[in-house]
Amino acid sequence: MIDKIVSGQIVRSKAGRDKFRYFVIYEVLDDDYVTIVDGDLRKVDRPKKKKIRHLSFLNDNAFDTEFSFTNKNLRSLLKGYDNRGIGHLCQRRTQ
């Protein structure tokens, strides 16, 4: 599985307090761990170490275009994804 995971890949968290948030893989550490950033909650200077099994992988990659790891670039890249977090699951329907 480690050969399919690359830096710059867009992922969604499946577990933890950042559940349902979207991130970009900053670095692959080993077979079990990667570091992730999003430019907002986790900035480039303090990436989060996350287990691979707690991530859902998208087919998108940040390197499809000319891309550099800056907080501003990460925020604008992930703006198109739904980063509402867990709160959207708790909202009640109004009738």
Side-chain angles (χ1 to χ4, degrees), residues 26 35-37 41-49 71:
Y26 187 65
T35 56
I36 55 175
V37 292
L41 182 67
R42 284 296 175 171
K43 301 197 187 237
V44 174
D45 56 342
R46 292 201 46 157
K48 176 165 180 60
K49 184 177 176 182
N71 293 325

Side-chain angles (χ1 to χ4, degrees), residues 16 21 28 36 39 44 47 52 69 73 88 92-93:
R21 288 184 64 96
V28 179
I36 55 175
V44 174
I52 292 173
F69 279 104
N73 286 350
H88 75 283
R92 299 177 76 189
R93 289 187 190 185

Side-chain angles (χ1 to χ4, degrees), residues 10-52:
I10 299 174
V11 296
R12 188 184 73 161
S13 175
K14 294 192 300 188
R17 69 180 184 90
D18 56 4
K19 190 174 184 178
F20 301 118
R21 288 184 64 96
Y22 289 90
F23 295 92
V24 174
I25 293 181
Y26 187 65
E27 183 181 9
V28 179
L29 300 176
D30 58 21
D31 289 343
D32 295 325
Y33 288 96
V34 295
T35 56
I36 55 175
V37 292
D38 69 351
D40 183 32
L41 182 67
R42 284 296 175 171
K43 301 197 187 237
V44 174
D45 56 342
R46 292 201 46 157
K48 176 165 180 60
K49 184 177 176 182
K50 190 89 168 168
K51 283 191 176 186
I52 292 173

